[in-house]
Amino acid sequence: MRGARWITLLCLSGCGEEEAPVMPTPPPTFAFADVTEAWGLDFTHDAGLTPEKHLPETMGAGAALADFDSDGDLDLYFVQGGELPVSGVADDGNMNRLYRNQGGGEFVDATYGAGAAAHTGYGMGVAIGDCDGNGHLDMYLSCLGEDALLFGNGTAWFRDGPAASGVRDERWTAGCVFFDADSDGDLDLYVTAYLDVDLESPTWCGDRKEGWRSYCHPDHYAGLPDRFWRNEGDGTFVDATAEAGFDDIAGKGLGAIPADLDGDGDLDLYVANDSTENRLWVNEGDGRFSDGTLLSGTGVNARGLTEAGMGLASGDFDLDGDLDLYVTNFDDESNTLYRNEGGLIFTDVTARWGLDAPTRMPVGFGTMAFDADSDGDLDLAVTNGHIIDNIELYHDGKTHAQHALLLENTGSVFRSVPAGDFRSVDAGDFGRTPRVGRCLLAGDLDSDGDLDLIETACGGAAKIYRNDSARGGIAAPIVGTQPSYLGSMSARE
């Protein structure tokens, strides 16, 4: 091998007519192939676009990944939007869709046999978990309008939750997650609420010229407080928001992620808020939570500024044994990485770890922390897309559709934390085409041992990217991670 390499180098210098041996090309570190059509996925999100520029039009396209039919592989569920203002009239053309995994990279649309999972509200997000303790997955749907609690029977069929479940919310909700908040063995429910919008008399924002009307900033609206629903053990819930200590009245929540951030064996909760302080709720171990935001340093960035928190991920990025936090934000802010220093103290290390520059221009939404290259550490994937569809009229260089990012964790260099620990890499089809990205999920769809990516778009087609990346070492687990507010998964431990 040494000789072949030496000859090749000499011939590149003009050694003569002898043909140099052809060296094999090593496989790329990251390679994701668009297999959407080949695998049978044909979901397209309907944002219900209107001339009035209702802000909910910009936020949809939630999704979930779970084994709904109990056959051992991962199925897909997509949350649909629809007509605005919300009429309350069911429209089968705008219902949520469930795709069953047939194995080996083949999906079939099983929506019409999925019962109440064919929901027709104007959807936002979805949480998955066994909330009634019968061994089958249930789901909670956050919506613009009335939310829904659906109970599954393990065959990818769902029924509407009865009124006796106690859960009812008709506001604009976004993030939702099942987790065992009080360590009693059942799944409680946390739901973030976003803004109090008036769909009948929408505010005009932007220039009053033809084609220049724009979507309003969240500061134009009052925020809505989140709600916490405690599970009574049988799939019925009570509103325990105040009792549990969740008293953030500022609201504007878009995402929530449970994780044991202080290493004491129970689940704390981190909430991403849009343009107001994020919140870190510390689990006191008795079903109550205290506000640890100020002392933790996770409410604002290193400059003391609030950001437009949207997507969330948590994982041990620096391999020191505790869970860090990653938050996606708006353009001109960058996404933010908070390193866990222990004792519920966090440091904003975004710039130090090379994550500022690649994330400052895009508008980040869904994010996943996962070992894309199976080298033992957690990489980051982010789907991006602007809120304002005519942003090009107001800012040179900014676009509505944007490229997704895959950010490589450099592994052993990570511990010394020099600049450039992460770098944006070519990930094949993922990120190649600009999209109005919203939700991002990671899971082994084809049972080949690595994690594929599922990406949704607001007003666009969902995509599946098969992971063909080179493998090396032992894959790091997805520890304490969640997709964006648009596709929260359940957490028991």
Side-chain angles (χ1 to χ4, degrees), residues 187-437:
L187 292 177
D188 309 297
L189 174 66
Y190 191 92
V191 181
T192 71
Y194 191 33
L195 303 173
D196 185 9
V197 295
D198 184 353
L199 298 182
E200 299 301 324
S201 302
T203 303
W204 184 296
C205 291
D207 293 349
R208 289 185 177 271
K209 297 186 295 186
E210 182 68 27
W212 284 68
R213 185 169 185 172
S214 180
Y215 293 100
C216 296
H217 190 278
D219 288 349
H220 285 266
Y221 309 97
L224 298 171
D226 301 342
R227 283 180 179 163
F228 171 69
W229 302 90
R230 176 159 291 142
N231 195 331
E232 297 291 273
D234 56 0
T236 63
F237 294 81
V238 295
D239 186 344
T241 309
E243 176 188 343
F246 296 113
D247 58 355
D248 183 8
I249 61 174
K252 301 189 181 182
L254 286 175
I257 183 169
D260 185 5
L261 298 174
D262 52 6
D264 65 352
D266 53 33
L267 289 171
D268 310 298
L269 189 73
Y270 187 67
V271 178
N273 291 321
D274 190 354
S275 304
T276 62
E277 279 193 356
N278 297 334
R279 287 280 179 245
L280 194 157
W281 299 106
V282 182
N283 195 328
E284 299 296 336
D286 58 358
R288 292 180 298 175
F289 290 74
S290 61
D291 188 350
T293 307
L294 180 61
L295 293 180
S296 72
T298 58
V300 295
N301 65 16
R303 295 183 294 160
L305 302 175
T306 60
E307 297 176 304
M310 287 177 279
L312 291 171
S314 179
D316 186 5
F317 296 107
D318 53 1
L319 304 178
D320 66 349
D322 52 30
L323 296 176
D324 312 299
L325 291 167
Y326 186 71
V327 188
T328 64
N329 298 304
F330 211 67
D331 59 12
D332 299 323
E333 291 179 342
S334 87
N335 301 340
T336 304
L337 178 62
Y338 297 99
R339 185 180 64 192
N340 193 335
E341 308 289 357
L344 287 173
I345 303 297
F346 291 77
T347 303
D348 179 351
V349 295
T350 307
R352 195 185 313 172
W353 286 4
L355 289 169
D356 188 302
T359 66
R360 183 159 289 277
M361 283 298 290
V363 175
F365 267 88
T367 184
M368 288 300 299
F370 73 115
D371 189 0
D373 51 2
S374 302
D375 65 350
D377 53 33
L378 291 172
D379 309 298
L380 279 166
V382 184
T383 182
N384 301 304
H386 214 286
I387 295 294
I388 302 173
D389 59 352
N390 56 0
I391 187 64
E392 294 91 343
L393 297 176
Y394 290 92
H395 295 279
D396 291 339
K398 294 186 179 182
T399 60
H400 187 213
Q402 300 176 343
H403 295 280
L405 293 173
L406 184 60
L407 300 157
E408 181 185 8
N409 189 333
T410 58
S412 60
V413 184
F414 219 136
R415 297 185 183 92
S416 61
V417 198
D421 258 358
F422 279 98
R423 59 188 177 91
S424 183
V425 297
D426 182 355
D429 290 335
F430 179 70
R432 178 165 293 162
T433 303
R435 289 162 49 78
V436 188

Side-chain angles (χ1 to χ4, degrees), residues 55-64 79 123-127 140-142 172-177 190-194 252-257 271-274 308-313 328 364-368 387 437-441 456 458 482-489:
L55 191 60
E57 301 168 16
T58 69
M59 288 292 184
V79 177
M124 287 285 139
V126 52
Y140 183 86
L141 302 175
S142 61
W172 182 5
T173 56
C176 49
V177 62
Y190 191 92
V191 181
T192 71
Y194 191 33
K252 301 189 181 182
L254 286 175
I257 183 169
V271 178
N273 291 321
D274 190 354
M310 287 177 279
L312 291 171
T328 64
F365 267 88
T367 184
M368 288 300 299
I387 295 294
R438 289 298 180 261
C439 179
L440 190 65
L441 304 170
T456 72
C458 186
Q482 297 280 349
S484 72
Y485 78 93
L486 296 164
S488 299
M489 303 294 286

